[in-house]
Amino acid sequence: MDFALPDNVAANTIYYLNTKVVLASAANWASPGYEIAWSQFKVPVASTQEPVKRAQHGSLTVQEQPTRIQVKGNQFDVSFNKVTGLIDSWHFNGQKVLETAPKLNVWRALIDNDIYQTKQWKPVSNKAYWQQYGLHWLQHRLDDWQYNFDSNNKKVQVKAQVRVAPPKLAWAIKTVYTYDIFASGDIVVTVNGELVGDVPETLPRIGLQMKVPGHFNDVTWYGRGPGEAYIDSREANRIGMWQTTVDQLFTNYAVPQENGNRHEVNWMSIHGNEVGLIAVGNPQFDFSAHRYNMENIDQARHTHELNKMDEIEWNLDYKHHGLGSASCGPDVLEKYKLKADDFSFSVRFVPYSSNQDPTHIAKTIL
């Protein structure tokens, strides 16, 4: 079988050879062209084009107040809280793009496999183990905070050192949030975590959790899809470009639990009629977006106990603990366990107008 690549291989673009097996003629159970099997092969190619750089128009200014600073640029402004070390507000073209700040999160709404204990396979459930270490009630405390300009006023860096820990227990995640704000409006959030003390063996997830406006209903991403996928439950989803709504991302299990994750995502956008946010991985992340908050999903035992929020809860995850099959069999395989080790990850956020092409923006570089 022969195939040809474009003459000009685009920068920051991943190429896959997609193959499928289909019925050549009708069968009792399907029509001609019905897909029986498929596979994808990543094609190793070198770009023949230079990546496009984000234009850094104008200069940044900083207004400092006793409890916050505001960074202003061309078409955007973002404020940081000097008490929490987190983003206070973020506007683009005069519209709010963030309701609550991106914040380190290691908990998930427990799944059936986390809750049940099968003595044949494991002595204690994930739920009991994780709650023993207080993973469901971690608190943030700011220890240090600072910011600085670059020499040409095109970039401001804000850095917050935070202790993330449960009350009373002798362990913590020494966390450093670094925000690099560029004149283009891009903000790169880097999170470094150092685990100290009597730490648990595993964590449910590691990532950022935030809320965006409720009218950010449309989602586009490049990664595995179209359905939900996790590190040990992904083979039914292929790499591609996918579009859907926040409501359609939700998997409505009979018993509410963690759901709707999209895996191995290079970039995604979430937007309303006029503005939105693009998240670009370094190189990849998992994401989910729900109209129900994590605590509500975790505590609800029936779907009628779910309460829709005005905002959308958006998770961008560095890593997830696998799903396993502990409700009826063995726990997560060793290679899919999320070990509680030191970590570092970053996500680039780009506010944009909904008449712009997020695909083009996601391929640009700073």
Side-chain angles (χ1 to χ4, degrees):
M1 178 179 65
D2 296 326
F3 67 95
L5 288 170
D7 292 334
N8 294 318
V9 178
N12 285 349
T13 301
I14 304 170
Y15 290 86
Y16 282 90
L17 172 64
N18 295 281
T19 64
K20 60 183 179 179
V21 178
V22 301
L23 282 180
S25 57
N28 292 335
W29 46 273
S31 303
Y34 179 84
E35 184 177 281
I36 300 172
W38 61 269
S39 189
Q40 291 183 304
F41 304 90
K42 189 174 182 179
V43 182
V45 293
S47 172
T48 57
Q49 301 177 359
E50 291 293 323
V52 177
K53 290 188 176 182
R54 290 279 286 164
Q56 304 295 329
H57 295 305
S59 298
L60 296 174
T61 62
V62 174
Q63 295 179 353
E64 187 166 5
Q65 299 171 4
T67 60
R68 65 200 292 262
I69 68 162
Q70 185 179 51
V71 181
K72 287 188 175 183
N74 185 27
Q75 297 183 302
F76 79 94
D77 63 84
V78 59
S79 296
F80 293 86
N81 190 309
K82 292 158 66 171
V83 177
T84 65
L86 302 173
I87 294 175
D88 242 359
S89 66
W90 190 1
H91 294 84
F92 174 70
N93 281 349
Q95 296 197 42
K96 184 185 294 185
V97 296
L98 204 62
E99 294 286 353
T100 64
K103 188 176 180 181
L104 179 66
N105 175 47
V106 302
W107 187 250
R108 72 183 182 194
L110 296 174
I111 64 173
D112 287 344
N113 295 337
D114 293 330
I115 295 171
Y116 292 105
Q117 173 186 347
T118 305
K119 292 182 180 179
Q120 178 184 358
W121 302 105
K122 54 191 294 191
V124 66
S125 68
N126 284 337
K127 175 183 178 180
Y129 180 78
W130 288 336
Q131 289 185 344
Q132 172 189 338
Y133 281 89
L135 292 173
H136 58 311
W137 57 17
L138 296 186
Q139 300 176 359
H140 286 54
R141 185 194 73 196
L142 182 65
D143 289 339
D144 190 32
W145 192 91
Q146 58 184 309
Y147 76 93
N148 59 74
F149 266 115
D150 71 356
S151 57
N152 58 6
N153 292 346
K154 298 291 186 181
K155 176 183 172 183
V156 173
Q157 184 177 86
V158 176
K159 185 170 288 190
Q161 296 182 27
V162 177
R163 180 181 174 86
V164 180
K168 300 182 181 179
L169 300 179
W171 74 276
I173 307 173
K174 291 184 176 180
T175 305
V176 178
Y177 296 103
T178 303
Y179 310 91
D180 290 311
I181 306 103
F182 293 84
S184 58
D186 300 48
I187 298 181
V188 178
V189 180
T190 302
V191 184
N192 291 283
E194 178 188 358
L195 283 85
V196 295
D198 181 20
V199 303
E201 179 186 352
T202 61
L203 300 173
R205 77 193 323 161
I206 299 172
L208 292 170
Q209 187 174 87
M210 68 212 82
K211 287 186 175 71
V212 295
H215 62 88
F216 280 22
N217 188 57
D218 297 301
V219 181
T220 302
W221 76 97
Y222 182 78
R224 287 195 181 269
E228 72 172 20
Y230 292 80
I231 189 170
D232 59 347
S233 176
R234 60 185 175 182
E235 294 303 320
N237 288 276
R238 66 191 82 188
I239 300 292
M241 184 84 73
W242 309 101
Q243 289 183 312
T244 190
T245 64
V246 170
D247 290 337
Q248 290 172 332
L249 287 173
F250 193 80
T251 305
N252 196 23
Y253 291 109
V255 177
Q257 54 196 285
E258 161 65 32
N259 74 88
N261 186 70
R262 267 56 180 183
H263 184 55
E264 292 184 327
V265 176
N266 289 82
W267 65 267
M268 68 160 295
S269 67
I270 184 167
H271 66 88
N273 291 330
E274 297 183 34
V275 299
L277 279 174
I278 298 170
V280 183
N282 184 23
Q284 293 180 324
F285 54 80
D286 286 18
F287 85 86
S288 61
H290 301 317
R291 295 192 181 276
Y292 314 98
N293 69 34
M294 183 177 62
E295 291 77 13
N296 183 201
I297 297 173
D298 198 15
Q299 295 170 11
R301 295 296 87 198
H302 305 89
T303 55
H304 72 267
E305 296 172 334
L306 294 174
N307 302 306
K308 283 192 174 182
M309 303 183 297
D310 294 332
E311 307 88 9
I312 293 167
E313 189 166 86
W314 185 21
N315 296 288
L316 294 173
D317 291 316
Y318 168 58
K319 287 184 179 180
H320 255 276
H321 191 73
L323 302 178
S325 58
S327 61
C328 59
D331 194 11
V332 177
L333 295 178
E334 190 68 25
K335 63 181 177 180
Y336 298 129
K337 292 180 179 180
L338 177 49
K339 300 292 187 178
D341 297 322
D342 296 350
F343 58 85
S344 178
F345 66 91
S346 64
V347 179
R348 173 183 157 211
F349 293 93
V350 189
Y352 76 110
S353 300
S354 55
N355 59 0
Q356 295 178 287
D357 181 6
T359 305
H360 172 76
I361 297 173
K363 291 181 180 181
T364 60
I365 63 172
L366 291 170

